[in-house]
Amino acid sequence: MLGARMSRWLIAVPMALLALATVYPLVFTANAAMKTRRDYILDRFSLADTLRWDNISTAWTTAGTARYFFNSVLVVAGAVTLLLLFGSMAGFALSHLRFRGSRALLLGCLAALFVPFQVIMVPLVRTMADTGLVDTYPGLILAYTAQFLPFTIYLMTSYYSAIPAEIVDAARIDGNTPYGVYRRIMLPIGRPALLSVGVLNALFCWNDVLIALLMMPSAEHRTLMVGVTSLRGQYTADIPTFASGVLIAAVPVLAVYLFFQRRIADAVTAGSTKG
């Protein structure tokens, strides 16, 4: 009995500390966003006396965060749409259509997961510049699609591989083409995986800074994460306004995690079991 209690404490205490370390930065940011610049300089760790929404309004309007927010929504929506379309098609083809080179293609996608973006960022940006796609919305959408497509293909292939081949064979016998099988059978069955992968890819694209910084150099086309960093200058910093921008950028991510946390867990564990 004593050993069981000790085991629970040994698990509960580290998890509580981890939860505190995760929540504290958000609480600190929200508290800083409610202070004036003077109050923050005098005591950054004290609680705000009153809830001041002026900083959030300033960050949203004067600092251009509203424009950055729109840019991020547009780019993320376009990238996730392409990722789900191409990823689901490739996942179906690699899991149920046998053709020459399918195994090599799947291994190539798996190998691409281990290549850091820093290795390919110079060739990617030069290629985008040569084709006139730098500082354009389609260019950033295609960059996100290329970066996260191997991950999407891997998860969709893992999910579709668990679907019995007899279902595909029966659909083919009924006269469906491969495209008909994909549209009528695989897409409806794959909705849970598509939702999970879509949520993960949306979070990846939303939180990205490096790719967006390279592909969108002009201030007009900045994404939200890049735009928030510009709220803090090199020599001067209005920390409450900066914290307000960070809070605006974090709210959509927190909302997605709260509403789709089970789907995110399912996507992370996709392919870990078979059958």
Side-chain angles (χ1 to χ4, degrees):
M1 189 70 176
L2 182 59
R5 290 182 178 178
M6 289 296 296
S7 299
R8 286 197 294 268
W9 276 105
L10 289 175
I11 296 175
V13 171
M15 295 301 294
L17 294 175
L18 180 61
L20 181 62
T22 304
V23 174
Y24 176 74
L26 180 62
V27 175
F28 179 84
T29 302
N31 184 57
M34 296 298 141
K35 292 183 176 182
T36 63
R37 187 173 181 180
R38 179 178 180 276
D39 292 339
Y40 179 83
I41 294 174
L42 291 177
D43 190 353
R44 66 184 63 184
F45 296 105
S46 64
L47 293 177
D49 296 332
T50 58
L51 297 180
R52 298 177 56 89
W53 302 101
D54 298 345
N55 295 326
I56 295 179
S57 176
T58 300
W60 180 257
T61 56
T62 307
T65 305
R67 178 66 181 180
Y68 303 150
F69 189 92
F70 169 78
N71 293 340
S72 288
V73 171
L74 178 63
V75 170
V76 170
V80 171
T81 300
L82 292 181
L83 285 166
L84 293 183
L85 177 62
F86 296 147
S88 59
M89 286 183 173
F92 165 58
L94 294 174
S95 60
H96 287 282
L97 300 181
R98 296 293 175 260
F99 56 92
R100 181 177 298 178
S102 60
R103 182 73 174 177
L105 284 176
L106 180 57
L107 292 177
C109 290
L110 294 177
L113 293 175
F114 299 95
V115 180
F117 175 74
Q118 290 79 358
V119 175
I120 63 171
M121 64 180 184
V122 174
L124 175 65
V125 174
R126 292 194 62 177
T127 301
M128 291 294 185
D130 292 340
T131 54
L133 291 174
V134 171
D135 207 19
T136 64
Y137 295 121
L140 184 55
I141 290 173
L142 290 177
Y144 281 151
T145 303
Q147 176 65 19
F148 301 119
L149 188 58
F151 172 78
T152 307
I153 292 176
Y154 165 69
L155 288 185
M156 293 307 301
T157 302
S158 300
Y159 184 85
Y160 282 145
S161 295
I163 298 176
E166 290 78 6
I167 296 179
V168 178
D169 295 337
R172 296 291 295 273
I173 292 174
D174 288 341
N176 286 287
T177 63
Y179 174 74
V181 176
Y182 164 77
R183 186 171 63 87
R184 296 186 178 92
I185 306 298
M186 288 300 171
L187 276 183
I189 294 178
R191 283 176 183 172
L194 289 171
L195 178 58
S196 301
V197 176
V199 169
L200 279 180
N201 280 320
L203 294 177
F204 293 157
C205 297
W206 184 272
N207 292 326
D208 170 71
V209 174
L210 180 57
I211 302 177
L213 187 61
L214 293 172
M215 292 296 302
M216 296 294 203
S218 68
E220 180 183 0
H221 294 148
R222 285 173 179 168
T223 59
L224 183 57
M225 288 301 175
V226 177
V228 165
T229 61
S230 66
L231 295 178
R232 184 170 183 175
Q234 183 177 0
Y235 302 106
T236 60
D238 185 355
I239 298 301
T241 303
F242 175 72
S244 299
V246 173
L247 200 62
I248 293 172
V251 166
V253 177
L254 291 175
V256 169
Y257 269 119
L258 290 176
F259 283 102
F260 298 104
Q261 54 183 326
R262 185 178 297 275
R263 295 297 185 186
I264 294 173
D266 292 342
V268 171
T269 58
S272 59
T273 58
K274 187 175 181 180

